[in-house]
Amino acid sequence: MSEAIVASQAPGTDPSVPGASGARQFWRRLRTQRAALVAAAFVALLVLIALTAPLLTAVEGQDPTTYHPALVDSARGGVPIGPFGGVSGSHWLGVEPQTGRDLFARLVHGARVSLGVAFAATLVQVLIGVVVGVAAALGNRWVDQLLSRVTDIIIAMPLMIMALALLAVVPSGFPRPVLVALIIGLVAWGSTAKIVRAHALTLKELDHVAAARLSGWGPWRVARRELLPALAAPVITYAALLVPLNITVEAALSFLGVGVKPPTPSWGQMLTAADVWYQAAPQYLLLPAGSLFLTVLALTVLGDGVRTALDPRAASRLRVGTGRKREARA
C-alpha cells in the first residue's frame, strides 16, 4: 500500500464504509467490547458521584469535616459505636474511628479530589508532551537534540522523589490539590513527549505533510493543519491510560503525608489513617482501598478499549466481552 493511500485514511475512519464518520466508527468498535462499556458506565457513575458530592452529603445530612465524638467509644481507643462501624440512617457507611466523621461524606468528597487531581495532572502532561514532541519533530537537528535530551532527563527523574521534594518546599497556603496536580504533570510529561515525537516523525515523512512543508507553510501551520489531527488518536489513547496511573500517584503521595492535607479528604489520605484500624474497624480501610482499586481497574479497562477502538488493527490485551467475529465486523 502506497504512502498516498495510507495518508488518505484519516485516523479513526474505516475505509470499508464510505462516508462513515470517525466518531461513528469509534463508537461502533467500542460497543463490541462489553468490558470497556461496563468500565465506562462505572467511570461515568463515579464522576457523577464526585460532581454531586455536596448534594449527596446534604441528602444524608452530614459533611466530611464535622466531628462526632459521641459516636465513638473513647474507652476502646475511639472504635465506632454500633454494628458495621456505626452504620445508621444518619451515617450510611458508618463513621471514622476516633473522630466520628462521616465515612460516606469523606468517601464521595475524596473521589472529587482524587479524580480531579488525576484528570488535571493528565491534562498538564498531555499539553506539555504534545508541544515538546511536535516541536522536536518539526524543528531542526539542534532543536530536536536539545528537546530530546531534556525529555530524557525528565524521564530519568524518579517521579515520587521529585514530587516529595517539591511538595515539601512549597508554602502550605497554596491549594494542595492544585499543587499535587501541577507537580505530577510537570514532572511526568516525558513519556508523552517521546510518544508524540515518534508519531510526528512518522507523519512528517508522508507525502501530504512533506508537500505542505515544501509549499512554504510554517511549522505552526503544519502542526495545526496536518500533524495534530493525526496525533489525536494516539494522544487520546495514552491519556486514557495515564489517568489511572495519576490516581495511584496522588494516593501514594497522600499516603506518605505530602499530598492532600487534612481536613480535605482524599482516598490516599484515608488509607494513611486507616492502617492501624484494619482489625477494629475494617470498613475504614476497605472502603477507600476498594474504591481506589475499582476506579483504577475501570479506567485501565476503559483505556484499553479506547486504544482498541481507535486502532482496530491492534489486538486488545483484555479479551473479556470481545470476540474475533465482532472485531472483524467492526
Side-chain angles (χ1 to χ4, degrees):
M1 182 179 293
S2 66
E3 287 184 346
I5 296 177
V6 174
S8 66
Q9 296 175 5
T13 61
D14 189 347
S16 64
V17 184
S21 67
R24 187 179 304 170
Q25 287 299 305
F26 168 77
W27 172 242
R28 200 155 67 89
R29 294 180 186 124
L30 189 64
R31 282 189 309 174
T32 65
Q33 304 178 68
R34 295 178 184 175
L37 291 180
V38 172
F42 179 84
V43 172
L45 177 62
L46 187 65
V47 171
L48 179 63
I49 290 174
L51 292 175
T52 60
L55 178 61
L56 293 174
T57 52
V59 171
E60 187 195 25
Q62 304 296 332
D63 64 77
T65 57
T66 300
Y67 283 46
H68 300 282
L71 299 179
V72 296
D73 188 353
S74 57
R76 298 172 55 199
V79 176
I81 299 173
F84 305 107
V87 173
S88 66
S90 301
H91 300 278
W92 297 345
L93 296 179
V95 297
E96 184 181 65
Q98 287 190 318
T99 65
R101 291 182 293 192
D102 185 77
L103 275 184
F104 175 78
R106 294 188 63 77
L107 195 68
V108 296
H109 279 270
R112 304 186 83 190
V113 173
S114 297
L115 291 176
V117 168
F119 283 116
T122 301
L123 180 62
V124 174
Q125 287 174 262
V126 169
L127 288 177
I128 298 177
V130 168
V131 171
V132 173
V134 171
L138 291 180
N140 58 33
R141 174 187 171 190
W142 298 107
V143 172
D144 186 18
Q145 288 293 322
L146 175 62
L147 293 178
S148 296
R149 298 295 77 79
V150 171
T151 303
D152 290 338
I153 293 173
I154 293 295
I155 293 176
M157 289 180 178
L159 171 60
M160 295 301 296
I161 294 178
M162 290 299 300
L164 287 170
L166 292 173
L167 286 167
V169 299
V170 176
S172 58
F174 196 90
R176 211 63 177 185
V178 177
L179 178 61
V180 173
L182 286 175
I183 287 180
I184 295 175
L186 293 173
V187 174
W189 55 263
S191 299
T192 307
K194 281 284 189 183
I195 291 173
V196 171
R197 176 183 174 273
H199 280 279
L201 286 174
T202 302
L203 293 170
K204 192 172 73 170
E205 301 301 322
L206 297 179
D207 289 343
H208 65 100
V209 180
R213 299 177 66 202
L214 291 174
S215 66
W217 284 15
W220 165 243
R221 190 177 182 186
V222 172
R224 183 170 56 89
R225 297 289 296 274
E226 302 293 343
L227 295 187
L228 292 180
L231 288 170
V235 169
I236 291 174
T237 299
Y238 190 61
L241 297 174
L242 280 176
V243 175
L245 175 63
N246 289 335
I247 286 181
T248 58
V249 172
E250 183 278 325
L253 291 173
S254 297
F255 181 80
L256 294 173
V258 294
V260 178
K261 296 290 186 181
T264 303
S266 79
W267 291 344
Q269 182 194 112
M270 292 176 70
L271 288 173
T272 303
D275 59 351
V276 297
W277 294 99
Y278 65 92
Q279 289 183 330
Q283 78 285 347
Y284 186 38
L285 174 65
L286 293 177
L287 286 173
S291 300
L292 185 63
F293 171 77
L294 291 176
T295 302
V296 171
L297 177 63
L299 285 168
T300 303
V301 174
L302 178 59
D304 182 84
V306 170
R307 178 186 66 84
T308 306
L310 288 172
D311 184 8
R313 295 169 299 179
S316 174
R317 294 189 299 271
L318 299 173
R319 290 293 182 179
V320 179
T322 62
R324 295 185 183 275
K325 293 183 178 179
R326 295 195 187 100
E327 290 178 357
R329 288 199 300 269

